[in-house]
Amino acid sequence: MIFKVYFQEQANEVPVREKTKTIYVEAGSEKDVRIKLKDRTINIEYIQAVENAHLEYEQLNEDFKVLEI
Protein backbone atom coordinates (compact mmCIF):
# COMPACT_ATOMS: atom_id res chain seq x y z
CA MET A 1 0.00 0.00 0.00
CA ILE A 2 1.13 3.54 -0.71
CA PHE A 3 1.03 6.16 2.05
CA LYS A 4 1.30 9.92 1.67
CA VAL A 5 3.29 11.44 4.53
CA TYR A 6 2.88 15.11 5.41
CA PHE A 7 5.87 16.46 7.34
CA GLN A 8 8.02 19.40 8.40
CA GLU A 9 11.73 19.13 7.56
CA GLN A 10 12.88 19.89 11.12
CA ALA A 11 11.73 17.69 14.01
CA ASN A 12 11.48 20.69 16.33
CA GLU A 13 9.48 22.83 13.87
CA VAL A 14 5.92 23.79 14.62
CA PRO A 15 3.65 22.60 11.77
CA VAL A 16 2.91 25.44 9.37
CA ARG A 17 0.83 24.60 6.32
CA GLU A 18 2.98 26.67 3.96
CA LYS A 19 6.10 24.71 4.98
CA THR A 20 4.51 21.25 4.88
CA LYS A 21 6.16 18.82 2.49
CA THR A 22 4.98 15.39 1.33
CA ILE A 23 6.57 12.09 0.43
CA TYR A 24 5.09 8.78 -0.67
CA VAL A 25 6.14 5.57 1.05
CA GLU A 26 5.22 1.97 0.26
CA ALA A 27 4.50 0.00 3.42
CA GLY A 28 2.09 -2.49 4.96
CA SER A 29 0.69 -0.15 7.60
CA GLU A 30 1.01 3.32 9.12
CA LYS A 31 3.22 1.80 11.83
CA ASP A 32 5.58 0.43 9.14
CA VAL A 33 5.83 3.91 7.62
CA ARG A 34 6.84 5.38 10.98
CA ILE A 35 9.43 2.62 11.45
CA LYS A 36 10.88 3.29 7.99
CA LEU A 37 11.14 7.03 8.65
CA LYS A 38 12.33 6.90 12.28
CA ASP A 39 15.99 7.62 11.42
CA ARG A 40 15.08 10.88 9.65
CA THR A 41 14.87 14.11 11.61
CA ILE A 42 11.44 15.16 10.39
CA ASN A 43 8.23 16.10 12.17
CA ILE A 44 5.49 13.83 10.78
CA GLU A 45 2.16 15.64 10.79
CA TYR A 46 -0.11 13.08 9.16
CA ILE A 47 0.07 9.75 7.32
CA GLN A 48 -2.67 9.05 4.79
CA ALA A 49 -3.30 5.78 2.92
CA VAL A 50 -3.60 6.43 -0.82
CA GLU A 51 -5.46 3.88 -2.93
CA ASN A 52 -7.83 3.40 -5.87
CA ALA A 53 -8.98 6.65 -7.53
CA HIS A 54 -7.00 8.77 -5.07
CA LEU A 55 -3.79 6.93 -6.00
CA GLU A 56 -4.53 7.34 -9.71
CA TYR A 57 -5.00 11.08 -9.15
CA GLU A 58 -1.75 11.39 -7.18
CA GLN A 59 0.15 9.52 -9.91
CA LEU A 60 -0.83 12.24 -12.39
CA ASN A 61 1.24 14.73 -10.40
CA GLU A 62 4.71 15.19 -11.90
CA ASP A 63 6.23 15.14 -8.39
CA PHE A 64 4.80 11.69 -7.60
CA LYS A 65 7.63 9.36 -6.62
CA VAL A 66 7.45 6.51 -4.13
CA LEU A 67 10.35 6.46 -1.69
CA GLU A 68 12.35 3.23 -1.75
CA ILE A 69 13.27 2.47 1.86
Side-chain angles (χ1 to χ4, degrees):
M1 179 176 278
I2 305 292
F3 290 89
K4 186 174 185 178
V5 180
Y6 297 85
F7 69 97
Q8 300 293 315
E9 290 187 321
Q10 301 297 319
N12 60 354
E13 239 181 298
V14 175
V16 176
R17 181 174 38 177
E18 290 79 16
K19 294 183 179 181
T20 299
K21 307 229 186 235
T22 59
I23 54 173
Y24 299 91
V25 179
E26 186 170 356
S29 67
E30 183 179 325
K31 181 179 178 181
D32 291 341
V33 172
R34 290 186 182 277
I35 290 169
K36 288 182 175 190
L37 297 176
K38 74 177 179 182
D39 62 333
R40 296 175 182 234
T41 56
I42 61 174
N43 180 8
I44 297 174
E45 291 180 41
Y46 183 67
I47 299 175
Q48 176 182 23
V50 181
E51 54 190 358
N52 303 326
H54 187 182
L55 178 59
E56 291 174 21
Y57 174 78
E58 293 289 347
Q59 289 172 330
L60 295 175
N61 186 346
E62 62 187 39
D63 296 329
F64 180 83
K65 186 170 76 173
V66 177
L67 219 62
E68 296 293 327
I69 302 176

